[in-house]
Amino acid sequence: MTPILVFDIETVPDAAGIRRIHDVPSALTDADVLAWYGAQRRAATGGDFAPLYLQKVVAIGCALREGASLRVWSLGEIDDPEPVLIRRFFDGIERYTPQLVSWNGGSFDLPVLQHRALVHGVAAPRYWDWGDEDREFRFNNYLGRFHTRHLDVMDVLAMYQPRAYAGLDAMARLCGFPGKLGMSGSEVAAAVAAGRLADVRNYCECDVMNTYLVYQRFRLIRGELDAEAYAREISLARERLTAADAPHWRAFLAAWEAAP
C-alpha cells in the first residue's frame, strides 16, 4: 500500500521578511513591524492577512499511515527554525513518495511551503518532479491541481469551486468527529508570541487527525474502502490516540465520544 501522509501547517507573519521587502525603520520592534504591516494590509485589502510568501511556518503536523502502522506527530523539535521544519517535510516525500492528503492544502499549505522552500533553498526533487525523472509523474504528480498524488479533500468535495468550499471544523463535526480543539487559526500568531508554541503544535496535530478521519470517510464514499475496512481504519485511529495518552489527545477522544 502506498504510504498516506496527511499534513497541516501553522504560520505567523514573517516580520524579518517584511523588513527585507519594505523600508521599515530599524528601530521598530517586530511587534511594531507587524502592527504597521497589518494596518497597510487592511487599508489595501480590507484584512490584515499576510500574503502566502510572507507566512512563516512555525508547525507542521503529520499523520503517516504506512503498512499496519499509524503515527501522528509534529515535525522537528519545538525550537527548530523554519528551514529545518520545511526540510523535514520534503525529506519525508523523498523517502516515502506518499499519497499526500490535506484540507485546503492546494490553496494554502503547499503554496506556503513552496514559497518558503525557495526562500530557504530547500531542495525537494521528488516533490518537484513533473515526469522528467519518473515517467509516472508526468500524468500524476504533486503539482497538478487535478492530479491525485496530492489530494486536497476540500477542493475535491467542492468540485474545485471556491464558492462551494467548506471548513474543516464544520465538515469534521458533521461527520461525527471532534472538529477543531484548543484554538482557531486566527489565534495562532498570538499564541506563538505568548510562547505557547507547544499548544500550537498540539492544535495542528488535532487538525491533522480531523483531516485524516474525514479522508477515511471520503475513501468510503468513493468505494476505496467498504464499511468493514472503514470501521477498521477508524478503530485504528482511536487505538493510536488512546495509546498516545497526551492531554490534547485525551481531549480529542473525549470530544469524539461526546459527538452526536
Side-chain angles (χ1 to χ4, degrees):
M1 181 180 78
T2 300
I4 298 168
L5 181 63
V6 182
F7 71 100
D8 182 58
I9 71 172
E10 301 301 333
T11 65
V12 299
D14 179 15
I18 294 169
R19 289 181 186 275
R20 286 187 182 183
I21 295 172
H22 299 278
D23 186 17
V24 180
S26 59
L28 291 181
T29 66
D30 282 355
D32 291 335
V33 168
L34 295 177
W36 170 84
Y37 187 70
Q40 299 298 309
R41 291 289 290 175
R42 286 191 295 275
T45 68
D48 58 3
F49 194 74
L52 300 190
Y53 57 85
L54 283 174
Q55 295 289 335
K56 178 182 176 182
V57 178
V58 295
I60 305 177
C62 294
L64 178 64
R65 180 77 166 89
E66 182 192 20
S69 69
L70 172 62
R71 179 188 176 201
V72 188
W73 79 109
S74 292
L75 293 181
E77 302 300 327
I78 197 165
D79 56 351
D80 279 342
E82 181 187 36
V84 172
L85 300 181
I86 294 172
R87 186 174 299 111
R88 283 179 176 269
F89 176 79
F90 286 114
D91 282 351
I93 294 176
E94 294 292 318
R95 177 178 177 183
Y96 294 104
T97 312
Q99 166 69 65
L100 280 185
V101 179
S102 69
W103 192 274
N104 196 35
S107 296
F108 182 75
D109 304 69
L110 286 181
V112 168
L113 288 166
Q114 291 170 185
H115 282 103
R116 303 303 290 186
L118 185 69
V119 168
H120 297 298
V122 177
R126 188 63 167 167
Y127 175 82
W128 288 105
D129 190 359
W130 274 295
D132 301 313
E133 299 297 327
D134 187 332
R135 289 178 59 86
E136 290 186 8
F137 274 56
R138 185 172 303 173
F139 309 103
N140 189 20
N141 55 61
Y142 291 116
L143 303 166
R145 185 179 191 186
F146 304 113
H147 292 180
T148 58
R149 202 174 288 275
H150 165 238
L151 182 67
D152 181 338
V153 183
M154 184 189 80
D155 211 13
V156 171
L157 289 174
M159 297 188 69
Y160 311 101
Q161 301 297 319
R163 65 181 179 179
Y165 285 165
L168 175 60
D169 183 57
M171 290 306 299
R173 290 175 185 271
L174 285 171
C175 290
F177 304 128
K180 289 180 175 288
L181 296 175
M183 66 179 70
S184 67
S186 62
E187 299 174 281
V188 167
V192 171
R196 296 172 50 216
L197 184 53
D199 292 339
V200 170
R201 284 161 64 96
N202 292 342
Y203 162 71
C204 188
E205 290 177 13
C206 289
D207 268 8
V208 165
M209 182 48 63
N210 277 303
T211 303
Y212 181 84
L213 294 170
V214 173
Y215 172 62
Q216 300 309 316
R217 184 72 63 90
F218 175 73
R219 295 177 73 197
L220 173 68
I221 67 170
R222 72 183 299 265
E224 185 179 341
L225 300 176
D226 60 21
E228 185 176 337
Y230 169 75
R232 287 198 299 269
E233 291 295 333
I234 299 303
S235 178
L236 176 63
R238 286 184 182 271
E239 290 172 5
R240 292 296 182 269
L241 298 186
T242 301
D245 195 33
H248 63 299
W249 292 132
R250 290 196 293 271
F252 190 94
L253 290 167
W256 194 353
E257 187 67 28

